[in-house]
Amino acid sequence: MDSRIDEIAERIRALRDETGYTIEEMADVTGISKEEYEASEKGEKDFSFTFLYKCAEKFNVDMIELLTGENPHLSGYTVVRSGKGLPIKRRKGFEYGHLASNFKNKRAEPFLVSAPFIAGELSAIPLSSHDGQEFNYVLKGSLRFVHGDNTEDLREGDSVFYDSSERHGMTALTEEGCLFLAVVLREERK
């Protein structure tokens, strides 16, 4: 079993215990079955970005705390050098580099995303949803983007801004993959 997955699962389990939420409540919040949620908390499966994002929102913690066990501590600014974003692998072949992992009280989660070309996904892109809005900007290659019943093919220099509470997903259109900037904007807390 992957020790990193085990560590994240333990942090999620501890936060759920600390906050008093039930497994059923967290399964509902994350949009998965009770059994899938229990498997996640036991470290039996990897986590999707959406799952981690929804857990962090419910626990009122920064997603980085779930991933690393550390609280971001910078508030003026943070610099991330080329290729040095906090690595996150949350979907088969997709590599995320978090570009502000040390900045506390973020209103957005910025990522540099490398998406692989997976021929079988061109007609059946995995979809997810989460509160807030999102912005994607294609830096290299091409990207197929699905939002609800709509599909757009994006090329270098194209961007899309959308309501991420609607089911959405993306996959590379070009065999060499696609590199894009993704900025997830949080829903304002009340």
Side-chain angles (χ1 to χ4, degrees):
M1 200 172 299
D2 186 327
S3 64
R4 186 164 149 79
I5 292 172
D6 282 343
E7 291 168 6
I8 295 169
E10 177 56 36
R11 285 190 279 276
I12 290 170
R13 187 173 40 255
L15 281 165
R16 183 181 58 76
D17 287 343
E18 185 178 303
T19 57
Y21 294 121
T22 66
I23 288 174
E24 291 80 6
E25 286 174 302
M26 290 307 297
D28 186 51
V29 164
T30 56
I32 60 177
S33 71
K34 177 184 175 222
E35 293 75 24
E36 289 174 301
Y37 183 85
E38 286 178 310
S40 295
E41 254 194 25
K42 291 177 183 173
E44 295 173 354
K45 59 182 250 168
D46 205 347
F47 310 98
S48 69
F49 168 81
T50 300
F51 177 87
L52 292 170
Y53 186 83
K54 288 179 176 181
C55 284
E57 287 288 303
K58 185 68 173 173
F59 297 141
N60 199 26
V61 299
D62 194 292
M63 188 170 65
I64 301 307
E65 187 175 340
L66 294 180
L67 293 169
T68 67
E70 297 177 16
N71 286 314
H73 54 278
L74 299 176
S75 60
Y77 70 93
T78 184
V79 173
V80 176
R81 301 292 179 199
S82 179
K84 301 295 183 187
L86 177 68
I88 303 170
K89 292 187 181 188
R90 298 289 72 142
R91 184 173 146 206
K92 181 183 175 188
F94 276 65
E95 294 183 11
Y96 294 74
H98 198 294
L99 302 177
S101 61
N102 289 325
F103 196 85
K104 67 181 179 179
N105 301 320
K106 290 182 285 300
R107 293 186 197 128
E109 302 285 348
F111 298 94
L112 186 60
V113 183
S114 176
F117 175 77
I118 303 172
E121 282 192 1
L122 291 178
S123 59
I125 296 172
L127 304 177
S128 64
S129 65
H130 50 86
D131 289 339
Q133 299 172 330
E134 193 164 334
F135 172 75
N136 299 150
Y137 181 85
V138 178
L139 299 166
K140 229 186 252 187
S142 298
L143 188 71
R144 176 156 294 158
F145 167 75
V146 174
H147 187 264
D149 295 329
N150 301 300
T151 300
E152 299 286 344
D153 290 345
L154 305 172
R155 312 252 179 262
E156 289 179 26
D158 292 346
S159 65
V160 60
F161 189 94
Y162 53 96
D163 175 354
S164 50
S165 67
E166 177 73 38
R167 306 257 319 142
H168 63 279
M170 60 279 304
T171 195
L173 278 175
T174 43
E175 287 188 21
E176 64 276 4
C178 180
L179 185 67
F180 65 99
L181 177 67
V183 181
V184 179
L185 302 158
R186 296 180 184 276
E187 189 73 22
E188 289 214 22
R189 294 182 181 162
K190 298 179 183 173

